[in-house]
Amino acid sequence: MIIDVHAHYDDEAFATDLEDVMAKLKEENIIAISSSSSVESSKENIEIAKKYDNIYITIGIHPHEAKDAPNDFEDALFELARFEKNVAIGEIGLDYHYDFSPRDVQRDVFIRQIEVAKALNLPIVVHSREAHKDTLDILLEKAVGKIPVLIHCYSGSVEMSRILRKHGIYISVGGVVTFQNAKKLIEVVKEYPIELLMLETDSPYLTPHPHRGKRNDSTYLKYVIQKIAQIKEVSEDVVIEKTTQNAKNFFGIK
């Protein structure tokens, strides 16, 4: 079994052939966690998870959508997050690259969602882009030591990754690690303990080499697995076994 801990199967890129994609995943014994970006997206993911037994979901509001979050969004999240196949609050966090939502609003919505996760005793899946210091400050104050934390599609420095691993924070790695300009991420993966690593695709985005430019899906995880095995000088079976166990433990998947 392989677990893709971060995909977006509610994305319109899968609108016409989701059933075919899900059949491919099942054939290859892949479980995927479809991550939400808004209250509406969370509802769509619930419907997908009801239909496909190899799909789990996370419920949450992405920093891009923070500006549009209803004032009482916690009430909706509490209700939606009790869905039996929801395994975390996510993806939540900060994005200072695009700044689609004002930074103070992003921080407020991020912190409030951490509080929801704590109240429900759920882990969090964190998006952090060009906001690593603020993300870490919030995590250390509000989350670390209280609930499990995963930073998906890690894009920070090697130095930042050393701080994260010291605090037992998981990171997930996807197709970016196969890109030619991925030197920094390769260094991070080389150093990061395999006990704190997970696999992701961020489908339909960030398709790994040699398929860049095509729509991504969880079957392309094999290229990520190959690259991590090469970087860490272990077998692909070891990468699969360790990351799958990490994901099962983190998300409570049987």
Side-chain angles (χ1 to χ4, degrees), residues 81 99-100 104 131 249:
D99 281 326
F100 287 157
D104 60 330
N249 294 345

Side-chain angles (χ1 to χ4, degrees), residues 132-228:
H132 302 298
K133 185 185 183 303
D134 281 3
T135 302
L136 182 61
D137 287 347
I138 288 170
L139 290 175
L140 290 178
E141 183 184 347
K142 302 291 184 181
V144 171
K146 302 173 181 74
I147 49 174
V149 177
L150 165 65
I151 296 183
H152 101 91
C153 197
Y154 182 74
S155 61
S157 65
V158 176
E159 292 73 24
M160 177 66 73
S161 76
R162 289 171 183 156
I163 297 169
L164 299 182
R165 74 183 195 226
K166 190 173 75 176
H167 291 285
I169 295 173
Y170 289 79
I171 63 170
S172 55
V173 177
V176 175
V177 78
T178 69
F179 296 177
Q180 285 185 338
N181 61 351
K183 289 177 182 170
K184 181 177 65 174
L185 181 57
I186 287 169
E187 278 303 305
V188 169
V189 171
K190 198 171 192 174
E191 284 193 13
Y192 221 77
I194 200 165
E195 292 76 18
L196 293 173
L197 275 180
M198 296 188 222
L199 307 173
E200 70 159 278
T201 57
D202 207 13
S203 299
Y205 314 108
L206 301 177
T207 310
H209 176 80
H211 296 288
R212 288 190 75 175
K214 295 182 183 175
R215 182 189 69 179
N216 201 5
D217 69 54
S218 302
T219 62
Y220 286 144
L221 267 183
K222 53 180 170 275
Y223 300 104
V224 179
I225 292 164
Q226 287 168 6
K227 188 66 178 181
I228 292 174

